[in-house]
C-alpha cells in the first residue's frame, strides 16, 4: 500500500522486508545518486527511509481507521549516531498499543502516538535513531 499511496517510496527504492501491526523492517539499497559529500546516503534519504517505515507501521496498525481519520506527522526527531555507508534497514516499532489510540479516536479525540525507528547499516550497526510522532486527525463529516 505504501508504494501505491506514496510514489516517492518506489522512486527511492525502499523495499519492505517485514510488516506487522507493531513492527516494520524497511530496506534501502545504496544508490550512488543518493549519496552525500562523504559517500553515504544523504541525511534526507536516511530520514525518508525512517519516516516511510514509521508510516508503514501506522498503515498496518490503523488501516481500519483510515476511513474516518487522516494520518499526519505531528513532529519528528532524528539523531545521527554513526556515518551510514552502504545498504540500510530501518526497524520501526509502534510506541503505544493500537487499542489505546483507537479508544481516544472513538472518544472524539485526536490521538498522538510515537513510532521509534532504528536505522542500521548492513553490519547491523545503528547509524540513526528517529522518533516520528503521528496523529490521527478525525475526518470532518
Amino acid at each position: 500500500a505504501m508504494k501505491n499511496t506514496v510514489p516517492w517510496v518506489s522512486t527511492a527504492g525502499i523495499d519492505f522486508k517485514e510488516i506487522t501491526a507493531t513492527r516494520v523492517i524497511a530496506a534501502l539499497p545504496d544508490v550512488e545518486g543518493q549519496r552525500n559529500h562523504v559517500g553515504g546516503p544523504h541525511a534526507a534519504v536516511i530520514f525518508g527511509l525512517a519516516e516511510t517505515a514509521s508510516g508503514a507501521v501506522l498503515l498496518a496498525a490503523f488501516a481500519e481507521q483510515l476511513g474516518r481519520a487522516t494520518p499526519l506527522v505531528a513532529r519528528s526527531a532524528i539523531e545521527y549516531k554513526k556515518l551510514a555507508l552502504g545498504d540500510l534497514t530501518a526497524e520501526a516499532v509502534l510506541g503505544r498499543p493500537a487499542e489505546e489510540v483507537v479508544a481516544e479516536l472513538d472518544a472524539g479525540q485526536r490521538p498522538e502516538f510515537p513510532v521509534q525507528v532504528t536505522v542500521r547499516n548492513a553490519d547491523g550497526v545503528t547509524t540513526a535513531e528517529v522518533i516520528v510522532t503521528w496523529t490521527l486527525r478525525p475526518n470532518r463529516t
Side-chain angles (χ1 to χ4, degrees):
M2 283 294 288
K3 289 183 177 185
N4 293 331
T5 306
V6 183
W8 180 83
V9 173
S10 292
T11 299
I14 296 173
D15 190 30
F16 296 94
K17 302 298 184 185
E18 178 183 327
I19 299 175
T20 72
T22 58
R23 180 174 174 255
V24 163
I25 303 288
L28 180 69
D30 183 25
V31 176
E32 186 175 352
Q34 294 180 344
R35 292 182 188 155
N36 59 20
H37 63 290
V38 292
H42 190 280
V45 172
I46 296 168
F47 178 80
L49 170 64
E51 192 274 343
T52 298
S54 78
V57 167
L58 175 140
L59 287 176
F62 302 107
E64 294 178 5
Q65 309 306 319
L66 299 184
R68 66 180 181 139
T70 300
L72 299 167
V73 173
R75 62 192 161 279
S76 59
I78 187 166
E79 290 186 41
Y80 298 98
K81 301 290 190 176
K82 184 172 176 68
L83 178 62
L85 296 171
D87 297 344
L88 299 177
T89 59
E91 177 184 17
V93 178
L94 187 63
R96 284 183 64 197
E99 304 80 39
E100 287 181 9
V101 175
V102 172
E104 289 178 14
L105 190 61
D106 289 343
Q109 299 172 9
R110 183 175 170 166
E112 289 190 358
F113 53 93
V115 177
Q116 289 89 17
V117 185
T118 303
V119 180
R120 296 182 179 93
N121 66 17
D123 295 327
V125 175
T126 297
T127 61
E129 293 177 342
V130 184
I131 296 177
V132 182
T133 302
W134 287 88
T135 186
L136 292 176
R137 183 190 70 200
N139 295 336
R140 295 186 175 108
T141 54

